Amino acid sequence: VNTTFEVWQGTTISCVQCHTHPYDPIKHEEYYGAYAYFNNSMDSDKTSDHPNALLLSPHQQLQKQHLKQYLAQLESANDTLSQEYRQALLELLSIKPLKVPVMKELPADSSRKSHVFVRGNWLVHGDEVKPAVPTALNQSISQEPADRLELARWLVHADNPLTSRVMVNRFWEQMFGRGLVETLEDFGSQGSMPSHPELLDWLAVQFMDQHQWSVKSLLRQIVLSATYQQSSKVDSQLLDLDPYNRLLARGPRVRLSAEQIRDQALVISGLFNPTTYGPSVMPPQPEGVWNVIRHQARWETSDDPKKQHRRAIYTFWRRVSPYPSMMTFDATSREFCVSRRIRTNTPLQAFITLNDPVFFNATKTLAKLMMDSSDDLENQIRFGFQKALYRQPTAQEIDTMKSL
């Protein structure tokens, strides 16, 4: 419930589990009306993935189609006893779909009853509630959703004033570093006012009507705009007038995320391993990080250096003890879903780039590449600059580098 309404409606609803919302007009009982939509799914905290749906990958679908066509050709020629027919039939039968966990509704005669949890205590049941969205969020749509499918349709209804605005604002934040409404997670009374309300409204209508909810089409429109294509260079006057670029007088200049910073260092040094899929890996981390009370698991650094240099998203993650260097660069612990990361600038981040084994190895490898590129120091510096920054250094930067 919390994640659904924060992601799709920009509404902070988690506190309503225990009491009526202190700022927005959402009642304690209404939280459990929304909860009722999700309380009727076919699951009972089992260790299996039941219920699940059978799903063929695109490759499997294409392969199955070709085999069926081939078998049909053989059957039309009355060739059902040949080795080719039997081989094709065996290949067809060997294509097994994947079992994908899904949320499936309980039958009507087995549906659960939902109750208000008095003060958020799941042991103390109050009045029974039926599935319903909070009244404050349903002013412009007369029909009340009856189940999860209708709730999904309600979310993307043309008369729902929030969904398209919240989504457009989130994509804008990804492109510009700051949303038109800075508080992505809160469009309520305690959230920030939009810096450009007319632009937000216009983009929301465009997203629904012209782009037909196509994210790719919306992003294309944003990146082709004159606003996005501005230079990110800034002079002292603009910096004084608008230090955080809320008025969009210059192009976006945003620091990379924790994962991107690590991956970028690996790519520049040539250590990056682009292998996709497979289990998580354990790159080096400081000793003792996992010395948690009653914790039996151990951090076993991957023996293969290539595995240590895979993309950051493949790093093994334990919520009670997240990977330290990424946490320093504002990665979340993943205990809860978050709409945005708060960016900080601390001395610890500089220490990470100087001492963390991943960055240290990347630095050594890049230094070796620079030394191998030329015998002349200035040419080595130019090579490193071009590889890291995609530009040539200025004369002043070369002098500074030579003095180090």
Side-chain angles (χ1 to χ4, degrees), residues 6 169-170 173-174 177-179 181-186 190-192 330-332 336-343:
E6 181 176 323
N169 189 59
R170 180 170 289 110
E173 188 267 348
Q174 290 293 306
R178 184 187 303 272
V181 176
E182 185 174 356
T183 51
L184 305 185
E185 70 284 355
D186 189 358
Q190 293 300 294
S192 303
D330 308 317
T332 63
F336 303 99
C337 295
V338 296
S339 293
R340 61 184 173 125
R341 295 181 182 182
I342 305 300
R343 295 186 181 94

Side-chain angles (χ1 to χ4, degrees), residues 85-334:
Y85 183 88
R86 283 184 287 178
Q87 182 65 32
L89 185 60
L90 287 174
E91 289 183 18
L92 179 63
L93 295 175
S94 67
I95 300 175
K96 302 296 183 183
L98 297 173
K99 292 183 178 181
V100 180
V102 295
M103 291 181 69
K104 187 176 181 180
E105 291 288 294
L106 286 168
D109 58 352
S110 303
S111 59
R112 297 190 187 99
K113 292 182 178 181
S114 297
H115 296 265
V116 174
F117 294 166
V118 178
R119 295 186 179 180
N121 187 346
W122 64 276
L123 295 173
V124 183
H125 287 189
D127 297 335
E128 183 180 346
V129 291
K130 299 296 182 183
V133 293
T135 305
L137 302 177
N138 199 31
Q139 297 291 329
S140 55
I141 306 176
S142 57
Q143 185 176 0
E144 187 75 53
D147 53 31
R148 280 192 302 114
L149 179 58
E150 290 190 12
L151 175 64
R153 290 170 176 162
W154 174 85
L155 286 171
V156 294
H157 195 284
D159 292 333
N160 191 319
L162 279 174
T163 303
S164 57
R165 287 177 173 84
V166 170
M167 291 183 68
V168 163
N169 189 59
R170 180 170 289 110
F171 297 133
W172 187 275
E173 188 267 348
Q174 290 293 306
M175 305 299 291
F176 288 88
R178 184 187 303 272
L180 295 170
V181 176
E182 185 174 356
T183 51
L184 305 185
E185 70 284 355
D186 189 358
F187 272 52
S189 59
Q190 293 300 294
S192 303
M193 294 294 291
S195 58
H196 300 72
E198 295 86 359
L199 175 60
L200 180 62
D201 292 346
W202 181 78
L203 282 173
V205 173
Q206 288 274 302
F207 187 40
M208 288 190 296
D209 296 344
Q210 180 176 329
H211 302 307
Q212 294 293 301
W213 300 96
S214 169
V215 175
K216 183 177 181 179
S217 182
L218 172 68
L219 294 180
R220 178 182 174 85
Q221 182 179 27
I222 293 176
V223 299
L224 292 179
S225 67
T227 304
Y228 183 79
Q229 294 182 16
Q230 295 179 105
S231 170
S232 60
K233 292 181 180 179
V234 58
D235 56 39
S236 57
Q237 183 181 6
L238 272 181
L239 197 60
D240 291 338
L241 293 173
D242 186 18
Y244 298 107
N245 197 29
R246 287 190 171 93
L247 301 180
L248 305 172
R250 58 184 184 274
R253 181 188 291 180
V254 184
R255 193 181 65 196
L256 300 177
S257 67
E259 294 85 352
Q260 290 170 329
I261 290 172
R262 180 183 184 276
D263 291 347
Q264 185 191 52
L266 293 173
V267 169
I268 291 171
S269 65
L271 293 175
F272 181 70
N273 179 2
T275 304
T276 54
Y277 309 117
S280 300
V281 297
M282 295 183 176
Q285 77 168 0
E287 291 290 337
V289 172
W290 270 29
N291 288 348
V292 182
I293 297 175
R294 298 176 64 184
H295 195 291
Q296 301 299 320
R298 293 183 178 275
W299 184 275
E300 298 178 359
T301 302
S302 302
D303 296 330
D304 187 354
K306 289 184 178 180
K307 289 185 178 180
Q308 298 177 15
H309 300 146
R310 296 186 68 190
R311 288 181 64 189
I313 59 171
Y314 291 105
T315 300
F316 188 90
W317 200 273
R318 194 171 186 87
R319 285 173 292 181
V320 296
S321 183
Y323 193 60
S325 66
M326 293 189 199
M327 291 294 291
T328 307
F329 282 102
D330 308 317
T332 63
S333 64
R334 306 186 193 178

Side-chain angles (χ1 to χ4, degrees), residues 67-82:
L67 287 170
K68 283 184 175 180
Q69 291 174 353
Y70 180 59
L71 288 170
Q73 291 175 1
L74 294 176
E75 289 171 357
S76 64
N78 295 321
D79 182 7
T80 58
L81 298 176
S82 65

